[in-house]
Amino acid sequence: MQTEASVGMAAATVDGAAAVAARRYSTQQQQQPQPQQHHNQPKLGTTLHLLAGGVAGAVSKTCTAPLARLTILFQVQGMHSDVATMRNTSIWREASRIVYEEGLRAFWKGNLVTIAHRLPYSSISFYTYEKYKNWLQMIPGLDSNGGLGADVGVRMVGGGLSGITAASLTYPLDLVRTRLAAQTNTAYYRGISHALFAICRDEGPRGLYKGLGPTLLGVGPSIAISFSVYETLRSHWLLERPCDSPIFISLACGSLSGVASSTFTFPLDLVRRRKQLEGAAGRANVYKTGLVGTFGHIIQTEGYRGLYRGILPEYCKVVPSVGLIFMTYETLKSMFTGGASDE
């Protein structure tokens, strides 16, 4: 969602909505007419833009990793646990268990692969977004003369397509991240390379793409919801309070759009996580039917609330995640442009 300058946050997840907000804010800043200066202001090149976005995403992911791991642990609890034993679980109880049984460092299980996933994901998302946008603008009615509606449509479709492309190409790393984070006392996978090797050995190369379907299905709704909520809130805010700080408005609207997107797409994300763990460490498959059958199985065994298991820590990480993305990205951008101006 994210958050980062990728559309896939969109897909992702904040990994999804917050990422769109961050990139959108950057785009808006570029589009706003700047006051004429006596000296040309340095611009951030593509490479430095990708670097700043990647580092900002890594910092945000690292700082919110404890909440992200709690979300994953709650999401997958119903796979191999008795429902009655899960009624007494809470964020505090689970966090205490992690500290007591696994140690404080365990909150960052799988964070290294998350960081390794971030840079190629952001790079692919950024690159393909520009390509898709240019191709879409070649369609009659969607070019620059098509008006505001056409521009919004191009950005939404381009964002969705770039999110799907980035998610597909980097998906094995996302699956490995889930499996490493879901390990508790017994560690079957000893690291990124061992996990990739073990999955291919035990489940074949197709095992690296378990849960890809729900992931791709979530990209479009996530993009559409976060985009529409963000733009609606931002337009209304600027109309009512035009003197407020643009950065504060973007942070607030980005956070709220992230919450809205997470609320609507969380069931798909939960199914994705559970599908990613199917057959892990030699365990038997729990869900032997397709996507619809998996939803039905969860509702039957855990109730409708089971589809939102782990939503609270997900909510808790949205605001700090978006804030850290903006703060880190803007700081790095200032450093890079400052260095360029000194030259």
Side-chain angles (χ1 to χ4, degrees), residues 33-49:
Q34 301 292 331
Q36 293 185 351
Q37 304 281 344
H38 292 292
H39 302 285
N40 292 330
Q41 299 216 351
K43 294 181 179 179
L44 202 63
T46 301
T47 303
L48 292 181
H49 173 82

Side-chain angles (χ1 to χ4, degrees), residues 73-130:
L73 290 175
F74 277 113
Q75 284 179 321
V76 303
Q77 270 182 345
M79 290 186 70
H80 303 286
S81 302
D82 180 57
V83 177
T85 64
M86 296 186 295
R87 290 174 182 166
N88 296 325
T89 58
S90 65
I91 294 179
W92 176 251
R93 284 176 183 268
E94 186 63 19
S96 300
R97 184 203 62 78
I98 292 173
V99 174
Y100 180 74
E101 296 182 5
E102 305 176 55
L104 192 62
R105 291 179 60 185
F107 280 112
W108 283 267
K109 272 187 180 179
N111 188 59
L112 183 59
V113 69
T114 301
I115 295 174
H117 169 267
R118 202 72 265 146
L119 188 56
Y121 185 93
S122 299
S123 302
I124 294 168
S125 179
F126 176 83
Y127 178 78
T128 56
Y129 173 74
E130 296 300 327

Side-chain angles (χ1 to χ4, degrees), residues 306-330:
L307 295 174
Y308 285 90
R309 194 177 300 283
I311 190 69
L312 187 55
E314 178 71 15
Y315 283 157
C316 292
K317 79 174 184 180
V318 169
V319 177
S321 181
V322 174
L324 285 164
I325 278 287
F326 274 101
M327 181 183 68
T328 309
Y329 180 80
E330 292 299 325

Side-chain angles (χ1 to χ4, degrees), residues 6-8 23 121 124-130 132 155-168 219 223:
S6 63
V7 234
R23 194 197 63 216
Y121 185 93
I124 294 168
S125 179
F126 176 83
Y127 178 78
T128 56
Y129 173 74
E130 296 300 327
Y132 285 130
R155 282 189 285 164
M156 288 185 66
V157 175
L161 291 174
S162 64
I164 289 173
T165 304
S168 301
V219 172
I223 282 281

Side-chain angles (χ1 to χ4, degrees), residues 12 27 36 39-40 52 83 91 106 108 115 134 144 165 170 180 191 204 216 221 224 229 270 280 288 301:
T27 303
Q36 293 185 351
H39 302 285
N40 292 330
V83 177
I91 294 179
W108 283 267
I115 295 174
N134 292 336
S144 56
T165 304
T170 61
L180 290 176
L216 299 185
V229 172
L270 181 138
K288 299 178 182 179
T301 56

